[in-house]
Every structure is written in C-alpha cells, then in structure tokens.
Amino acid sequence: MELHRATAKISIAEELEKAEEEHFKNCPDAEFSIRLASVFVDGILAYLAVTGLHSICGALDLHLAHITQSSLGQQIPKMTALFLEKRAAHIALSIELTLKIMFFYLYFVASTAFSGGTPGKLLLGIRVVNRNTGKKLTTQKALLRLVIAVGSTLVSCGIIYLIIPFSDRKRAFHDELTHTVVKQVFGVK
C-alpha cells in the first residue's frame, strides 16, 4: 500500500512539472522594459545585502582588533588573542569576500536554477527557462548564462543590451548562446 502511495506522489510531481513546463513554453516572452526593471530590482536587493555583509564584517574587524580587551580575549590563550588582533583586518576581509561570493552564487545562479529567476525576476513575474523544453535551467547552465552575461557586458561596456529591443527575437546575447528565454508568467504587463 505504501509503495503505491509513493509511486502516486512521484507521478503527481512529474505531472505537475510537465504542466509547468508546458505553461512556461506557452507564456509570452518578457518585454525588454520588464527585464530592465528586474535588473534594477536585483541591483537594489544585491546592494542592500552586500552593504549589510560589509557592515557585519566591519564590526567583526573592530571586535577582533580589540579582542584582548574583551571578555572573550580573557578566555582564549594570549598568543591566539594577539594573533587575532594583528590579523583582524585580513581575517574580516577574507570572511567578507567568502560571504559575498557565496551570496552572489546563491542570488544569481542557484535562484535561477531552482526558482526560475533571481528575486527581482520572480517579483516581477518573469522566469528564465530552456528555450526548447520550457524546463528550469540546471545549475551549470545558470552559471554559464551568468558568466556570458557578465563577460559580454564588460566587453561591450553594456552596449550589447541596447540591441535587445531592436532584435527580431528580443533576446539577450547570453540567452541566445545558452538557448534560454525569459518568459512573462504573470504580473506587470
């Protein structure tokens, strides 16, 4: 009986995934203006998160720089406390850099792979899907799409995005190369 239930759950999940893929394939491509708006929303959200990480790591730097004077400094060996004090800026900077890399990976790659878009895209009702199948992107394809987008933006100084509204398919260079499309699934029209 339990084996039958598990099989039924899997088939229901598979059916829902297929229905979602069909829905995404039939949705209209997202307009340039809504895609641009999602870039601004993502920029604001990412800025707030990175600023918060910077503030937290700055506080960590200050704490480590004066650790021998704190109650924690009295509980750890004197040599360890002195080591932490002398290298406080390096430790805090390393932690900050690691956290920022993790944040950018989770924000831009993992969210696109697992949810179909960055938080800015999701808030505005657009999703990034495979152009041929309508499926969500794999983590590797989401990472490749991001690397191509950043690379082409840096090489062209952002001019490459000005081509999108005038192209036939209204797709970005990184979408063409990775066979992805941004669909408007609901929301602002």
Side-chain angles (χ1 to χ4, degrees), residues 86-122:
K86 288 185 178 187
R87 291 175 177 68
H90 297 295
I91 293 168
L93 184 63
S94 298
I95 291 171
E96 182 177 355
L97 183 60
T98 302
L99 289 174
K100 285 179 179 178
I101 290 169
M102 289 172 49
F103 166 76
F104 280 108
Y105 177 81
L106 291 171
Y107 192 93
F108 291 103
V109 177
S111 66
T112 299
F114 297 114
S115 302
T118 58
K121 284 182 177 57
L122 299 176

Side-chain angles (χ1 to χ4, degrees), residues 67-68 73 76-87:
I67 197 163
T68 56
I76 59 176
K78 185 77 170 164
M79 291 301 289
T80 304
L82 288 173
F83 173 82
L84 291 174
E85 269 189 359
K86 288 185 178 187
R87 291 175 177 68

